[in-house]
Amino acid sequence: MASWWDHRTDTPHADTTTLICMPSAGNGDLQFDRWPDAVGPWCVVRTPTVGGPGGEAVGMNSAAPVPAGLPERAAELVTDLMRRGIERFALFGHESAALLGYQVAVELNRRGAPAPLRLFVSGCPAPHHLRRHAGEAHTEPTDDELTERVLATTVAMGGNPMPWVVATGVRALRAELATLRAYRIPRPTPLHCPLTAIRWRDQDIAPEALAGWSAYGDTELVQLHGSRLSYATEPADLLRVISDRATTDDRRRSAEG
């Protein structure tokens, strides 16, 4: 099985609280580079994708195929998490990665494993609002439209939009769109952990679509100034929210344990 841990970051330890970040599809390897150590120990997991300059796998040490669906990805990630004995952690995901974070929390519940201290979802409508937000009647974006998005994102994050980087990003976005179209939940599954849902004011997501996360358990709604890329390019306000909640949750878990 492929390891989902970013080789650039330290492996979390069982006895420390770690923020596990799931990258958003098509946003490249730079999206967490401007995050300082303010949130304490943290690491990044990466969905393995194919498409390096020579067609090799990017961000992984194995050529094993990647599960296509979010529940299947979550199951593999939870297996890796449990194999490493990690029990004290919070989850963060932005856009579609927030849905992966939710599925990880659901899978942990299903296996009777320790719940995360908290799930942070950023810039993502609640799962049962997803199709309404995306618009079932919307046409499939063209490669040119996806290329423009990847180029803008790469430049905003300070990256070099080399052709193979852009091509990989376009393929990742195209695959993620297919995954989201296929994603269904029969009903909201309440989580065994608190949840913080973050809306960025300049991002085109209706407040009620974020408020829909309240159906999934103990939910806090937070609104921050910024756009869909501010989590990566101007993360200070977001990191304050994460740090404050993570500290409180860690104390609560320690008192309970």
Side-chain angles (χ1 to χ4, degrees):
M1 184 183 71
S3 174
W4 289 54
W5 301 99
D6 187 338
H7 67 278
R8 300 174 310 159
T9 57
D10 292 335
T11 300
H13 301 289
D15 58 348
T16 59
T17 299
T18 302
L19 178 68
I20 299 177
C21 302
M22 280 155 284
S24 180
N27 285 357
D29 291 347
L30 303 174
Q31 54 193 293
F32 295 110
D33 282 5
R34 299 184 190 182
W35 282 36
D37 296 330
V39 293
W42 63 281
C43 66
V44 177
V45 297
R46 174 177 298 124
T47 303
T49 57
V50 174
E56 71 274 13
V58 176
M60 61 182 290
N61 296 320
S62 167
V66 182
L70 290 176
E72 291 79 14
R73 293 184 202 175
E76 281 216 356
L77 181 51
V78 167
T79 296
D80 206 1
L81 193 69
M82 295 177 68
R83 180 173 60 85
R84 294 169 185 269
I86 302 165
E87 297 184 356
R88 299 175 67 86
F89 60 92
L91 298 169
F92 172 84
H94 179 73
E95 294 183 331
S96 60
L99 299 173
L100 177 58
Y102 165 71
Q103 285 297 151
V104 167
V106 169
E107 180 68 13
L108 288 164
N109 290 353
R110 189 186 71 80
R111 299 192 194 190
L117 293 176
R118 182 174 292 265
L119 169 62
F120 295 94
V121 295
S122 168
C124 182
H128 61 286
H129 281 266
L130 185 62
R131 294 191 70 78
R132 193 183 320 163
H133 168 72
E136 294 183 81
H138 286 189
T139 58
E140 183 77 4
T142 65
D143 282 349
D144 285 345
E145 290 169 334
L146 293 181
T147 296
E148 184 178 346
R149 174 169 172 164
V150 172
L151 280 169
T153 297
T154 303
V155 171
M157 292 184 181
N160 182 3
M162 297 168 59
W164 74 266
V165 172
V166 175
T168 299
V170 169
R171 284 195 292 272
L173 281 178
R174 181 75 70 195
E176 198 70 357
L177 287 172
T179 297
L180 295 178
R181 281 196 301 272
Y183 182 55
R184 300 284 191 280
I185 59 166
R187 64 186 63 84
T189 300
L191 301 180
H192 296 170
C193 67
L195 185 154
T196 295
I198 299 151
R199 177 177 182 264
W200 300 92
R201 288 189 178 180
D202 295 334
Q203 188 176 15
D204 185 22
I205 295 180
E208 58 268 23
L210 263 293
W213 283 104
S214 298
Y216 298 81
D218 177 11
T219 301
E220 170 197 32
L221 303 175
V222 174
Q223 183 166 261
L224 297 177
H225 289 285
S227 66
R228 59 171 292 270
L229 295 181
S230 294
Y231 81 102
T233 60
E234 299 174 289
D237 289 344
L238 172 65
L239 294 183
R240 276 192 287 272
V241 170
I242 291 175
S243 182
D244 289 347
R245 276 61 171 183
T247 299
T248 299
D249 294 337
D250 191 33
R251 290 172 180 168
R252 172 181 53 80
R253 182 71 63 90
S254 296
E256 291 173 354

